[in-house]
Each structure stands twice: as structure tokens, then as C-alpha cells.
Amino acid sequence: MADVEFIPYFVTVIIFLNVLLGFTIIFLERRDASATWAWLMVLMFVPVAGFIIYLMFGRRLSRKEIFTWDKKARLGLLAAVQEQLRAIDNDEFELKHPEVAPHEDQIYMHLKNNDALLSQDNKLDLYTDGEEKFQALMQDIEKAQDHVHLLYYILRHDNLGRRLGTVLRKKAEEGVSVKLLYDDMGSRLLSRSYIKEMKRAGVEMESFFPPLIPKLNMKINYRNHRKLAIIDGTIGYIGGFNIGDEYLGKDKKFGYWRDTHLRVRGSAVHNLQTRFILDWNQASKRDILYDERFYPLFESEPGDSAVQIVSSGPDSEWEQIKHGYIKTILSAKEYVYIQTPYFIPDDSLLDALRVASLSGVDVRVMIPNKPDHPFVYWATYSNVGDLLWAGAKVYIYQNGFLHAKTIVADGVVSSVGTANIDVRSFRLNFEVNAFVYDTKLAGELTDRFMEDSELTTELTHSLYEQRSVWIRFKEAIARLLSPVL
């Protein structure tokens, strides 16, 4: 009887907590309106579980947790950025290739809002297969003479993780400085024995945003989703591949893993280096101090590709990578091809794609057939359906799992990096992309898109309209919650 009498009090407490949390979301956190309504709906329909879900997914960074890069040394970057801005303002900026000139305003935007220095001496190698990418990476690491800096969202203690660990331990024992930064949530399954073995060999390891209690990380948001490698300050890697056997296509659930990664030689490596150092110094108590050996001069120019390294995250006022995507889309005159595992854009990016398609631009979006997050997949399916109405083409990749995060437009501008087309990448996670102004890479990415198209099923408007009532229901629910996915 006493238990029954307790129920009204319990319900009252839950209602009070929901109201209090709703008040916090609406009036104190100043969220996007769509995200606010999504969280209120979660609290309304699942009052107990919704409160727990909010604690895991919904909390914003506190003042103590927000990054304060302005207090960190900027490694001489700001002066160089200001010089490039001044040169553009005075029509004195020299571009190596005339086809890049129409995109000077996009270069200016990234300089102004992200301190993304433009370098024009880069040689780029494109990888879309995991075995080829990691073979190249490990060969470069084996040749390292001074330092190896690695940052990955996911680091697993599986065959690939052990292969990489063997190479890193060997270099550390040879006296090369080896630093490995991983995200604590993405790498939550990483064993302590792996970490101890690495540290015993002299490899310095740090985790990003760890919990107070090990292995009990409730901070789902604000993860470091970046994937970077810098070897001796002369070679860099950026793209979508993490460290795990599934990225080699060895997971039966996903099958072949289709991703995109760049190997970079040239001054853009220095900008990758700066990104790594800032992230490392935020995670570690052992700061990396400026040293010329991290930024060696090149005896000759490795290539002539123009590259900007653009970062974004919840510590930034602007959603820089999203703005770069939108600018690329709206500047296109002929075509825009996008590959993404998740397609949950906000209204601004979705409108940009609609406008481009309605203006006669050939807009094509490729998504995977095998979802790694089913709920996110149905939100993706709903959003690509909207594009069909505007005349865009949608392709569903059938040859395994598509994890690439790429955009290419008009055979000149392209982007390869870590940012998916979703709210999580644009607002909640720390991401980094290479925006490239180069006909060679744009041509390669366009060719890969066309090759991949042979392994897809085109989602036509008629096929989309034939989906079942059950699929429509899942789409509707996922779409309502998409602002908080």
C-alpha cells in the first residue's frame, strides 16, 4: 500500500524535473528552435528515459569545458592569415592557376572566419581503399626521422590497431617522438593493456574529453571526430578512415568499406600540424611548444595544388565547414557531387542544394545502403526524398558501406575530410576538412563518383513514392528528431 501511495510523489518529481529541464532548454541554453522542439518532444513522450537521454546527448559544454584556443599560442598563423587577407583586399593576391580565381571569395571566407591559410605548393594523393591508405601511412611512419603525430576518433585493439602499434613502438624505441591522440568515446573499447604496452615503448598517448570515471563516459556529444596524421612535418593525412579492421572491409556486417582520404605533401601539412598541436595541448598537460622542426621548409615545391585546412566545432562561433559546403554548392554552375554516410542537413544547406538543382545544376548525392545507425539512416532517407522533388539525383551505394565525406563541384573545387552532412558534424563534434582548389583532384573525385555510381541503385521519385507505410512512419519520427541526432 505504501508503494502505491509513493507513485503520485514520484510522478510529481518527474513532471517537475521535466518542466525544469524544458525551461533550461528554452530560456537558458538558447538552442536552435528545431533542436529545442525536438528535445521537448523527447521529454514529453519519454519523461524518465528522455531525462537520461538528455544527460547523455543534450548537455552543452560548460564554460570550463569550452576550448579557449585564443589563449593558446597560434604558432605564427595569425600574421600570415592577415597578410593573405590584405593581399586579397588590395587585389594583390597571386593565384597559380586562373581557374581558381572565381573562387577567391570562398578562399577569403575561410581565411576571415577560420584562419584557414591558403597554400599553393601541395601534392595530393587520393585513397579510397583502406588497405592502400594504411599501407602508405605505415610506410611513411617507418621512414620517420623526427616525429609522428596521430589523431583518430576511433582506435581499436584489433589486427589493424596492433599493426599500427607495432610500427609506432618501433619508431619510439628508435628515438622518434611519437604522439597518439584518440577520442575517449570513439575509442571506448580500447584496452588498457594496449595503452600500457604503447607507453612502455615510449609512445605518448592522450585521450580527448575523458570521463571522471574510466570507461563510464556519458558525454556523447562534443567528440573529436578528426582523423589526422603528420610525419616529420612534411607528410600529412586527412580523411574518413579510422583505425579498425572494419575500415579494411573485414566486418561481415558492412562488407567492403568505401572511404576517402588524402595524403598531403606541401605547406598544407604545416596547417595540419597546427591543428594537431592545438588539439593535443587541449587534451594533454604536456603541451607541445613551438619548434621549427615541426614546420620544416621544403627544398622544392612538392606540387601546385591550392589547399585550405578548415576546422569547425562547438568552440567556434561559425559553422565553418558547413559554410564551405554551402558556398561550394551555390557557386556551382555545372554540377555538384556529394558522397556522405549521413544526410541530415539543416534548412540552410538543404535549401542551397534545392536552389542549385532548380537552377539547372546537376546535383547528385550518394548515400550507403547499409546503415551503421538505423535511426539516422531513416532521417537520411527522408531528406534525400526532399531533394528528388527539386530534380536532384540520389544514388544508394550497394557495394558495402559508404563512409566517404566528399563534395566536388565544376571540376575545380572539392572537399575531403571528416565532416558528415549532419547537425552532429556541423555543431556538436570537432571536425577538419581540406578544401582544395585543383582541377586534378576534382577530376579524380568526379571519376571516382562515376565509378561508384556503377555500384549503386538510383533512387528515383517513383521508387521513393512506393515505400511502405512502415518506412514512412520511421522516416517521420526520425525526421522530427533529426535536429538532435
Side-chain angles (χ1 to χ4, degrees):
M1 191 67 178
D3 291 341
V4 175
E5 293 177 351
F6 175 74
I7 292 177
Y9 296 102
F10 177 75
V11 173
T12 301
V13 170
I14 293 299
I15 293 174
F16 174 77
L17 289 176
N18 272 14
V19 172
L20 183 63
L21 189 54
F23 177 85
T24 301
I25 293 172
I26 295 173
F27 296 105
L28 300 182
E29 294 200 347
R30 300 179 66 83
R31 292 174 178 271
D32 175 79
S34 58
T36 298
W37 280 112
W39 277 119
L40 289 176
M41 188 175 71
V42 170
L43 293 173
M44 181 184 301
F45 287 103
V46 281
V48 178
F51 184 78
I52 298 173
I53 293 171
Y54 177 81
L55 293 178
M56 295 178 64
F57 291 92
R59 292 179 302 162
R60 292 197 164 213
L61 285 175
S62 69
R63 289 285 182 182
K64 293 181 180 179
E65 292 168 330
I66 291 178
F67 285 2
T68 52
W69 295 136
D70 291 340
K71 296 181 181 178
K72 301 285 183 178
R74 296 307 299 271
L75 309 176
L77 176 65
L78 292 181
V81 168
Q82 291 302 316
E83 177 58 27
Q84 287 196 350
L85 287 171
R86 185 200 62 77
I88 294 176
D89 284 333
N90 296 332
D91 294 326
E92 299 172 354
F93 196 69
E94 296 184 7
L95 292 168
K96 287 188 175 182
H97 299 290
E99 62 267 19
V100 178
H103 306 284
E104 192 174 89
D105 55 347
Q106 182 165 344
I107 294 170
Y108 189 92
M109 178 186 73
H110 288 313
L111 277 165
K112 188 76 172 178
N113 294 338
N114 197 235
D115 301 330
L117 198 66
L118 180 76
S119 57
Q120 302 185 77
D121 61 348
N122 302 287
K123 185 178 187 328
L124 306 174
D125 297 308
L126 179 66
Y127 294 99
T128 58
D129 177 80
E131 286 285 0
E132 293 178 357
K133 181 262 178 176
F134 285 109
Q135 181 180 357
L137 174 63
M138 291 187 198
Q139 287 176 351
D140 285 333
I141 292 174
E142 287 173 348
K143 297 175 184 177
Q145 299 294 313
D146 184 78
H147 64 272
V148 176
H149 292 162
L150 302 179
L151 163 58
Y152 283 93
Y153 172 65
I154 294 176
L155 172 62
R156 300 200 191 282
H157 189 182
D158 54 14
N159 289 331
L160 180 59
R162 286 190 290 272
R163 281 171 53 193
L164 178 65
T166 298
V167 176
L168 294 178
R169 290 196 305 273
K170 179 176 178 290
K171 299 309 297 185
E173 290 167 352
E174 291 175 2
V176 173
S177 173
V178 179
K179 291 181 171 59
L180 177 55
L181 175 61
Y182 59 92
D183 184 82
D184 194 84
M185 175 58 69
S187 307
R188 60 190 177 279
L189 300 180
L190 187 63
S191 68
R192 292 185 180 181
S193 62
Y194 183 92
I195 298 172
K196 289 180 180 179
E197 186 179 13
M198 297 288 279
K199 289 184 175 180
R200 276 199 301 268
V203 177
E204 295 181 68
M205 294 185 68
E206 294 287 353
S207 64
F208 180 89
F209 215 0
L212 295 176
I213 303 175
K215 300 297 181 181
L216 190 62
N217 202 327
M218 300 288 286
K219 301 172 182 176
I220 305 295
N221 291 338
Y222 315 120
R223 308 314 316 181
N224 196 322
H225 195 240
R226 295 165 180 152
K227 298 99 178 166
L228 297 175
I230 302 95
I231 298 97
D232 288 344
T234 60
I235 298 173
Y237 287 80
I238 179 174
F241 285 106
N242 282 296
I243 307 296
D245 285 347
E246 66 266 38
Y247 296 90
L248 301 179
K250 295 182 178 181
D251 189 308
K252 293 182 180 179
K253 175 184 176 182
F254 297 112
Y256 182 72
W257 192 278
R258 170 64 175 85
D259 219 321
T260 305
H261 223 90
L262 292 179
R263 179 178 184 263
V264 185
R265 284 175 287 170
S267 297
V269 178
H270 295 173
N271 301 324
L272 295 175
Q273 183 83 281
T274 298
R275 178 70 274 158
F276 174 85
I277 291 175
L278 291 172
D279 283 14
W280 176 272
N281 288 353
Q282 184 61 35
S284 176
K285 295 180 181 178
R286 298 164 295 173
D287 280 7
I288 300 175
L289 302 179
Y290 175 80
D291 195 307
E292 290 184 356
R293 66 191 177 91
F294 296 136
Y295 300 90
L297 297 176
F298 295 92
E299 295 181 0
S300 60
E301 293 187 352
D304 60 359
S305 296
V307 179
Q308 285 180 294
I309 303 301
V310 179
S311 303
S312 66
D315 58 322
S316 305
E317 182 180 355
W318 306 100
E319 298 172 11
Q320 294 95 335
I321 294 177
K322 185 189 79 171
H323 291 168
Y325 285 169
I326 292 174
K327 185 64 176 175
T328 300
I329 294 164
L330 293 180
S331 298
K333 303 299 182 185
E334 299 176 12
Y335 71 88
V336 176
Y337 296 161
I338 295 172
Q339 290 180 309
T340 178
Y342 320 118
F343 187 73
I344 313 178
D346 62 7
D347 289 341
S348 61
L349 196 145
L350 193 58
D351 282 344
L353 287 169
R354 289 196 193 102
V355 168
S357 185
L358 292 170
S359 301
V361 176
D362 181 11
V363 175
R364 305 187 185 191
V365 177
M366 189 179 297
I367 61 173
N369 181 45
K370 297 182 177 181
D372 58 344
H373 302 293
F375 206 66
V376 174
Y377 181 77
W378 293 115
T380 292
Y381 205 70
S382 175
N383 282 300
V384 295
D386 276 355
L387 286 183
L388 294 173
W389 288 94
K393 295 180 180 179
V394 177
Y395 298 89
I396 301 177
Y397 187 72
Q398 302 289 351
N399 190 43
F401 185 66
L402 178 70
H403 192 250
K405 303 103 168 39
T406 63
I407 181 170
V408 57
D410 288 358
V412 178
V413 182
S414 59
S415 178
V416 175
T418 69
N420 300 306
I421 296 184
D422 61 15
V423 174
R424 182 162 297 278
S425 281
F426 293 155
R427 299 177 189 170
L428 300 178
N429 285 341
F430 298 90
E431 308 282 2
V432 61
N433 276 41
F435 280 82
V436 183
Y437 312 89
D438 175 61
T439 55
K440 181 177 181 295
L441 180 66
E444 288 184 73
L445 288 170
T446 300
D447 290 343
R448 297 296 174 92
F449 188 97
M450 291 304 183
E451 292 170 7
D452 290 334
S453 296
E454 299 297 320
L455 302 171
T456 68
T457 299
E458 183 175 357
L459 180 64
T460 63
H461 187 266
S462 60
L463 282 175
Y464 183 71
E465 286 301 302
Q466 293 173 22
R467 66 199 191 284
S468 67
V469 174
W470 176 235
I471 290 178
R472 292 170 188 257
F473 175 75
K474 289 190 287 187
E475 279 187 33
I477 298 300
R479 191 180 184 90
L480 284 173
L481 296 178
S482 61
V484 298
L485 291 179

